[in-house]
Amino acid sequence: PQTRRTRKVVYNPLEATFGLNFLTEDHSGFGGYIHAHTWRYLGEQVALVPGFLRGTRPTFGGKNNWYPMIPWELRNVVIVEVTPKDSGHPYGKRRLYIDQQLFAVLYALVYDHDGAHWRTLFHGFANPTFDPENADVGVPLIVGNIWIDYHTNNASIWI
């Protein structure tokens, strides 16, 4: 305040967000530098994903209460594989499952450098028709993210 200068903000996409188990570049499925990765289109398929919540607050159950207790549904998705060009990146690769109707990442699978499944991200969406404060929005609402880390047996959930 004495110098009236704005402090410099350093952005590091490989840093853990708020000390949790996901990286800054993991927001919304991928928020990193596009050119720092090799992108590969793997195809289209129908995937079983957490469906659209008919309410305002998701609930969780299953192992350690980590999984969204929303009726799951079949959705048409595009699968894209993202491999870091930097061998020092924490991830070996990740697969993004992008909804063909929403153009949003419904979930992502992260693999370590040995090819073992390491983490899973689920995005939770809600149908705005069932939320009185957002009934006129017209597009699905993001109601939370779930990051499950299978190596540490830990999860980060925000709603």
Side-chain angles (χ1 to χ4, degrees):
Q2 292 83 3
T3 62
R4 295 179 184 249
R5 291 184 186 170
T6 303
R7 292 182 182 182
K8 182 184 269 187
V9 176
V10 178
Y11 171 73
N12 181 357
L14 304 182
E15 187 175 78
T17 301
F18 306 114
L20 299 173
N21 67 339
F22 55 93
L23 307 179
T24 302
E25 78 173 12
D26 291 334
H27 288 280
S28 300
F30 182 85
Y33 296 114
I34 294 172
H35 299 293
H37 296 78
T38 301
W39 295 77
R40 194 171 76 154
Y41 171 79
L42 298 181
E44 300 173 13
Q45 72 179 44
V46 176
L48 182 64
V49 301
F52 296 94
L53 176 67
R54 292 180 171 214
T56 57
R57 188 172 177 89
T59 58
F60 301 92
K63 180 182 177 187
N64 298 323
N65 290 322
W66 291 343
Y67 297 88
M69 298 305 289
I70 299 169
W72 289 47
E73 62 184 62
L74 297 173
R75 301 284 296 178
N76 293 318
V77 297
V78 172
I79 305 167
V80 178
E81 187 171 84
V82 182
T83 306
K85 293 178 182 176
D86 178 10
S87 62
H89 192 286
Y91 298 158
K93 67 179 176 184
R94 75 184 100 190
R95 287 195 177 147
L96 306 177
Y97 292 77
I98 304 167
D99 188 85
Q100 289 184 1
Q101 182 181 9
L102 296 178
F103 303 109
V105 176
L106 297 177
Y107 66 92
L109 302 178
V110 175
Y111 299 87
D112 62 19
H113 290 280
D114 295 327
H117 181 213
W118 178 10
R119 294 177 173 167
T120 299
L121 160 71
F122 292 109
H123 278 119
F125 291 93
N127 184 330
T129 306
F130 297 93
D131 182 349
E133 294 179 16
N134 293 296
D136 60 343
V137 170
V139 297
L141 307 167
I142 296 176
V143 292
N145 286 336
I146 303 98
W147 265 110
I148 303 170
D149 187 325
Y150 299 102
H151 286 186
T152 63
N153 198 33
N154 190 354
S156 295
I157 299 173
W158 68 264
I159 53 175

